[in-house]
Amino acid sequence: MKLILPYQSLLRSSLLAVLSAAALLTAGQTQAGTPSGKAPEPIVEPEAPFITGSLSLMVDTHFVSYGQDVWAAGQSWQDPLFHPSIELNFNLGGGFSFILGSWWDVNDNAVSDIGNRIQEVDVWAGISYAAGDWKFTLLYQDWMYSESTEQIVDFKISYTHFLNPYFLIHSRPDGGEFLESVGFDDGIVAQVGIAPGCSMGPVSLSFPVAVSYDTKNFHGGQAGLGFASAGVTASIPLTKAITASIGATYYYTNDLVIPGNPDEGFVMGSAGITVVF
């Protein structure tokens, strides 16, 4: 006769209870319909915010408008310019966005017609459509300076790729009284460019290259190649939302097409911070 001690009986009862619970749990899991018995967690895509934007505070050595050296700085870096800008993007869904923005030229190069040292205020509104790696953007702009308003319509096609190529039609349907007085006509600038980039640790590098073609008298000269440019920009994040950048761009401009520039070739430097939100 085998003697079973009390503690052995208690251990056997506990073991039987655990095995019974495990059997019930396994049966319930089998009925769940997956081999492991655990349903996969649903994948929830984060909802895109309705409003995003960026604030840029840049200091530039030149004000270059499609190859035109506006303040005739030439090869000098002695008179830096402050160029703040802001842009808001409203997510309309289906790949569409509504865009609002403004850019200012602030310096003491002339007596301002706007106030203080604000020489020019540009505002724009438009719409963009993104489909895969393609993006199409249409903007209407008012450039306000010298008691005059220059009206601009831009259409840009860009493609997300290592080279980041783009094609831009920059049109001037109405140049305003000031441009008419200096012999500039309404017309078009066609521009193509690329902006390949790479990273070196936390530093992001971009190498923008562009060329443009002007219609006759757009910048007061002949029709033809207006400018070619190549540059480098280095950016480093300071926080999740703030990035500092510094860069330089060389411009070759055709004095037959853009006759007002003091030098055919010059380098523009820039530095500043950008805040995204």
Side-chain angles (χ1 to χ4, degrees), residues 10-221:
L10 178 62
L11 180 61
R12 179 181 296 177
S13 299
S14 300
L15 181 59
L16 288 173
V18 170
L19 291 174
S20 299
L24 290 173
L25 180 59
T26 302
Q29 289 176 338
T30 303
Q31 293 173 4
T34 62
S36 67
K38 184 176 181 182
E41 294 291 334
I43 299 174
V44 179
E45 294 291 338
E47 185 177 352
F50 176 59
I51 302 177
T52 57
S54 63
L55 171 67
S56 180
L57 305 174
M58 301 299 297
V59 175
D60 299 313
T61 60
H62 296 66
F63 173 6
V64 181
S65 179
Y66 294 88
Q68 181 189 1
D69 184 0
V70 174
W71 291 111
Q75 299 181 16
S76 172
W77 283 27
Q78 296 181 357
D79 195 4
L81 316 168
F82 180 45
H83 292 148
S85 65
I86 186 170
E87 184 171 278
L88 302 176
N89 288 265
F90 300 82
N91 181 10
L92 303 180
F96 287 94
S97 296
F98 178 68
I99 304 167
L100 288 174
S102 182
W103 177 93
W104 293 15
D105 178 30
V106 183
N107 60 72
D108 60 357
N109 287 344
V111 177
S112 172
D113 295 310
I114 299 174
N116 296 323
R117 297 186 176 187
I118 304 172
Q119 305 291 348
E120 178 174 318
V121 174
D122 301 346
V123 295
W124 59 85
I127 194 166
S128 69
Y129 173 68
D133 293 328
W134 293 92
K135 187 175 183 179
F136 306 85
T137 305
L138 180 65
L139 296 178
Y140 171 80
Q141 307 177 56
D142 276 346
W143 296 359
M144 295 169 282
Y145 55 89
S146 299
E147 297 183 340
S148 183
T149 299
E150 182 180 351
Q151 297 177 4
I152 298 295
V153 176
D154 283 351
F155 177 64
K156 183 178 182 180
I157 302 173
S158 57
Y159 182 71
T160 302
H161 179 268
F162 168 72
L163 293 177
N164 298 316
Y166 70 89
F167 172 68
L168 172 67
I169 292 292
H170 172 76
S171 63
R172 180 197 291 148
D174 187 352
E177 296 180 359
F178 176 77
L179 289 187
E180 291 179 1
S181 69
V182 296
F184 285 22
D185 288 344
D186 301 339
I188 291 174
V189 174
Q191 182 176 320
V192 294
I194 58 174
C198 64
S199 296
M200 298 179 62
V203 179
S204 297
L205 298 176
S206 177
F207 304 91
V209 177
V211 294
S212 77
Y213 177 92
D214 287 17
T215 56
K216 186 176 181 179
N217 282 332
F218 189 92
H219 283 120

